[in-house]
Amino acid sequence: MLSADQPAPDVARAHRAVEPLHNHVYFSPEQDEYLTAVGLRPGRMCYFAGRAAAMGAVGPGTVVATFANFAPAIVARHVPRAWTLASPEQVLAARLDGARASLTRLLGSADAATAPEVTELAGLLREACTALTPEGRPLYAAHADQPWPEEPVLSLWHGATLLREHRGDGHVACLLQAGLTGLESLVTHTLTGRGFTEAAAKATRGWSDEEWTAAADRLTARGLVADGALTEAGIALRAEVEAGTDELSAAPWVHLGAERTARVVELGRALSARLVANGAYPAGVFAAR
């Protein structure tokens, strides 16, 4: 914990600076290339198996529970079939190869992937992760069981992955406390003007127009949505969720302290901006805000 005279690190800003270093892989051709090379089918199967493999050959229920906002039907099309095509160990190795390849391309070159700023940020993230704990964090805990890569660019990616999954597990807990289902959390998040557009959320998460409308109707009945927008109560509830998520994900940044967290933000934002500038994300997926 911080003493009264120590400035608090900016938890949300640190998260935003680092997350692209992990989540760009879900849009990278390299992930499909390496994961299909070990037997998986391209597209959603690569996503579900790639992210879940650290938990072992789990069934669709575990994936739905931990990923939180995917339609169960879309998950069941790919899991557990994925494990008949490639083992979790093969998937994990291929995922690392894909992350190395995508980061190297998006950073600009092999030299850029071993640059001092990559090594420095990887070290800071590794130190930040020493403050993470596994209780109630299944996705984080599964990934934390994996060996920490020594290669700087993969160490960077692994650290970003652990921080992202740890925060995500806490975010799911906050959504449950707010009484939001996975789909309802997705609907309300798109209405904040951040994250996925509605079209991208439906397409990537597998929800039909009818399911989306039914969720919006439930939210309207709760007074959280009106006329296709969040009400004051809806805005307040989303703010509570985000504040709770920040609180549950603060430990690594408190451990680093404000000065080193600010350095993470500086380095992370610069590297993430390079990824975005080099085409890490397709147009039309994320809202403009």
Side-chain angles (χ1 to χ4, degrees):
M1 299 297 293
L2 293 174
S3 64
D5 59 349
Q6 289 179 293
D10 191 330
V11 173
R13 198 161 173 243
H15 162 68
R16 289 193 299 270
V18 170
E19 185 173 23
L21 301 172
H22 165 80
N23 72 11
H24 78 278
V25 299
Y26 303 128
F27 305 90
S28 74
E30 289 88 353
Q31 279 293 294
D32 267 17
E33 176 187 348
Y34 281 92
L35 288 169
T36 56
V38 298
L40 298 183
R41 299 296 180 260
R44 286 192 177 100
M45 183 181 285
C46 288
Y47 173 81
F48 290 134
R51 192 174 170 208
M55 297 186 290
V58 295
T62 300
V63 174
V64 170
T66 52
F67 289 23
N69 58 23
F70 285 85
I74 201 69
V75 175
R77 291 181 198 173
H78 303 287
V79 177
R81 182 169 178 248
W83 314 126
T84 70
L85 303 174
S87 69
E89 292 77 17
Q90 289 175 305
V91 171
L92 287 168
R95 196 180 192 221
L96 279 177
D97 288 338
R100 178 195 296 110
S102 62
L103 277 170
T104 299
R105 173 178 60 86
L106 292 168
L107 289 173
S109 68
D111 288 340
T114 57
E117 60 267 29
V118 170
T119 301
E120 181 184 356
L121 182 56
L124 286 167
L125 297 189
R126 187 165 186 168
E127 177 62 28
C129 288
T130 63
L132 301 179
T133 55
E135 291 84 1
R137 315 271 187 162
L139 269 174
Y140 158 73
H143 286 90
D145 277 345
Q146 304 307 308
W148 198 290
E150 293 302 324
E151 188 178 338
V153 75
L154 288 183
S155 182
L156 176 71
W157 185 76
H158 186 63
T161 298
L162 296 186
L163 290 162
R164 195 250 195 180
E165 297 295 14
H166 184 274
R167 181 181 174 89
D169 287 335
H171 187 60
V172 171
C174 291
L175 291 168
L176 290 173
Q177 188 174 37
L180 296 172
T181 66
L183 175 53
E184 290 166 354
S185 68
L186 198 59
V187 172
T188 55
H189 192 240
T190 61
L191 292 177
T192 66
R194 298 177 173 86
F196 287 125
T197 62
E198 181 178 320
K202 291 177 182 176
T204 59
R205 269 48 185 167
W207 299 103
S208 68
D209 290 341
E210 293 76 16
E211 290 169 323
W212 192 275
T213 298
D217 289 344
R218 293 193 297 272
L219 293 165
T220 299
R222 286 180 62 183
L224 301 174
V225 171
D227 300 321
L230 291 175
T231 63
E232 288 187 9
I235 292 170
L237 186 64
R238 286 299 320 190
E240 289 175 11
V241 166
E242 297 305 324
T245 301
D246 285 346
E247 184 177 353
L248 290 178
S249 62
W253 313 116
V254 171
H255 174 70
L256 285 186
E259 184 176 340
R260 287 194 294 176
T261 296
R263 182 60 175 160
V264 166
V265 171
E266 180 184 7
L267 293 168
R269 288 181 69 179
L271 293 175
S272 293
R274 198 183 306 173
L275 266 59
V276 173
N278 286 332
Y281 304 104
V285 171
F286 296 111
R289 283 183 63 183

